[in-house]
Amino acid sequence: DQRSVFGRDMVQVFSSHVVFVDARERRGLGVGAEMMWAKLNRIPVVTWAPKDSHYHKTQTTILGVPVPNFVHPFVEALSDRIVENLVEGAQWIHRIMTDPSIEIKGIETIYSTMKYYEETQLHCDQPMQELLAANEILQRRMQRTRPLVTYT
């Protein structure tokens, strides 16, 4: 019963004080969905992704361009902290459970990254410019995100 499995996973995340992601190796679609659900509910996400693992590389090449200190964009954006080892992860979990001043990412972080893309990359992304220009519904949808973005 796939619906029940999905519902159970979402309840587990929703009832958590923190989500700890083991990203030492490649993971499936469910992990990303669980990370996003945690962020939509402002639940801390700690991701164990040591350097030179699948999602965190000291050096890689993307589309022929060398990229130093690469962290997968979804892992970086949806994690409140990326740790190198289990001890560091446990220490950070203890910190967030005892220090209410630590800011946890929420939905505004996602909108903020959309705004960042718009300000820094959209001008050179011709296919996306064409899509936005040709679709009035999408233009209105993008306008609705503006009040939700935190400007810093």
Side-chain angles (χ1 to χ4, degrees):
D1 178 2
Q2 296 91 332
R3 187 173 181 195
S4 177
V5 170
F6 178 77
R8 184 178 192 277
D9 286 357
M10 295 303 102
V11 168
Q12 285 180 313
V13 171
F14 192 72
S15 63
S16 298
H17 294 287
V18 64
V19 172
F20 187 86
V21 177
D22 182 353
R24 293 174 293 165
E25 297 178 11
R26 189 175 186 154
R27 296 290 174 217
L29 177 64
V31 172
E34 291 164 349
M35 292 172 77
M36 180 67 83
W37 183 235
K39 292 300 84 201
L40 293 177
N41 291 286
R42 202 173 292 282
I43 297 167
V45 173
V46 179
T47 302
W48 182 8
K51 284 191 176 118
D52 296 317
S53 60
H54 182 74
Y55 297 103
H56 188 183
K57 299 184 183 301
T58 303
Q59 178 71 39
T60 193
T61 302
I62 300 175
L63 300 173
V65 177
V67 180
N69 302 314
F70 172 81
V71 177
H72 187 284
F74 282 67
V75 170
E76 190 278 327
L78 297 174
S79 299
D80 293 287
R81 182 68 161 215
I82 299 171
V83 297
E84 291 286 320
N85 56 59
L86 199 52
V87 171
E88 184 184 352
Q91 290 169 340
W92 203 80
I93 289 170
H94 180 266
R95 249 186 91 211
I96 59 174
M97 300 308 292
T98 58
D99 183 353
S101 71
I102 296 173
E103 191 169 331
I104 303 304
K105 293 177 182 177
I107 192 169
E108 71 284 344
T109 301
I110 296 161
Y111 288 122
S112 179
T113 59
M114 292 169 64
K115 182 67 176 167
Y116 177 79
Y117 160 76
E118 203 173 350
E119 292 172 346
T120 64
Q121 299 299 315
L122 180 59
H123 69 276
C124 58
D125 188 343
Q126 191 65 36
M128 188 61 77
Q129 288 177 34
E130 291 170 7
L131 177 66
L132 289 168
N135 190 321
E136 190 176 317
I137 293 170
L138 182 53
Q139 291 170 25
R140 286 196 304 268
R141 187 183 300 165
M142 292 298 291
Q143 288 296 324
R144 286 196 317 258
T145 67
R146 300 276 169 3
L148 301 171
V149 174
T150 304
Y151 295 93
T152 55

